[in-house]
Amino acid sequence: MSEQVHIQILDAAAAQASVEALAEVLTDCVAGGASVSFMWPLPHERAVQFWQGVADGVARKERILLVARDDNGEILGTVQLITTMPDNQPHRADVAKMLVHRKGRRRGIAQALMASVEKVAKDYGKTVLVLDTVTGGDAERLYERAGWQQVGVVPNYALMPDGEFCGTTFFHKQI
């Protein structure tokens, strides 16, 4: 029997209570080579600090935090919808930090998170979503399969966790 994945929106209290588990997901992704704004080695305190800031953003209603849990309640993945935009962009949101722990990969978690974040965005009246990802990576293919449209590529935009330059591909989706 296959294990179910449960997508959940975390309120401020649940986000704060999940900081350690989310820090573990982030640390695993960076250790696995994901270019998600952090360098390796990623100190645990830095990962916790990042997620505490996210939890504060949830409390201020600036972002929506989704997590994917297994049947045991363990967080295996996460994605954020940043909803606070300039006055002339109330219809837009950014999708950020789509992360799946390596032990949860190849199980449809990323697809489930993306489908859920798009539904949440629509429920919040957002009609344009934007995101960026490492050029040529698995996530780029995931977004293309999910109907996201490539806007363009910026070479040498960021660094991989090991310090090598990488390009970044920008996507949008009209929902």
Side-chain angles (χ1 to χ4, degrees):
M1 178 187 283
S2 67
E3 191 174 26
Q4 294 287 323
V5 173
H6 310 278
I7 307 298
Q8 175 187 19
I9 298 173
L10 300 186
D11 63 17
Q16 186 61 45
S18 300
V19 163
E20 286 289 334
L22 290 162
E24 166 59 28
V25 172
L26 175 61
T27 301
D28 177 74
C29 289
V30 175
S35 177
V36 290
S37 305
F38 298 92
M39 302 303 289
W40 188 254
L42 174 59
H44 178 73
E45 302 78 32
R46 176 71 181 103
V48 167
Q49 177 187 39
F50 171 77
W51 286 107
Q52 286 174 333
V54 170
D56 292 344
V58 170
R60 291 188 302 269
K61 305 210 182 296
E62 297 170 349
R63 62 186 64 225
I64 300 166
L65 177 60
L66 290 83
V67 297
R69 296 182 186 272
D70 65 13
D71 285 337
N72 298 317
E74 181 180 2
I75 294 176
L76 295 176
T78 182
V79 67
Q80 297 172 50
L81 185 68
I82 301 172
T83 56
T84 300
M85 292 290 134
D87 289 348
N88 68 339
Q89 299 171 41
H91 59 290
R92 186 175 76 78
D94 290 347
V95 174
K97 294 294 181 277
M98 215 291 294
L99 307 169
V100 177
H101 196 287
R102 286 179 286 180
K103 68 184 171 188
R105 295 195 184 153
R106 308 279 183 238
R107 294 171 46 190
I109 293 171
Q111 293 94 332
L113 283 166
M114 289 305 294
S116 294
V117 80
E118 288 177 25
K119 181 186 180 312
V120 168
K122 197 177 272 190
D123 291 347
Y124 276 77
K126 304 300 181 178
T127 58
V128 178
L129 299 180
V130 178
L131 62 79
D132 66 86
T133 191
V134 170
T135 302
D138 290 340
E140 188 177 59
R141 290 182 293 281
L142 165 76
Y143 303 137
E144 288 171 346
R145 285 191 311 268
W148 287 73
Q149 300 298 309
Q150 187 181 115
V151 176
V153 174
V154 179
N156 300 321
Y157 186 82
L159 297 175
M160 297 299 288
D162 65 3
E164 292 292 320
F165 281 103
C166 64
T168 296
T169 304
F170 290 86
F171 286 89
H172 76 93
K173 189 167 189 180
Q174 309 290 314
I175 57 172

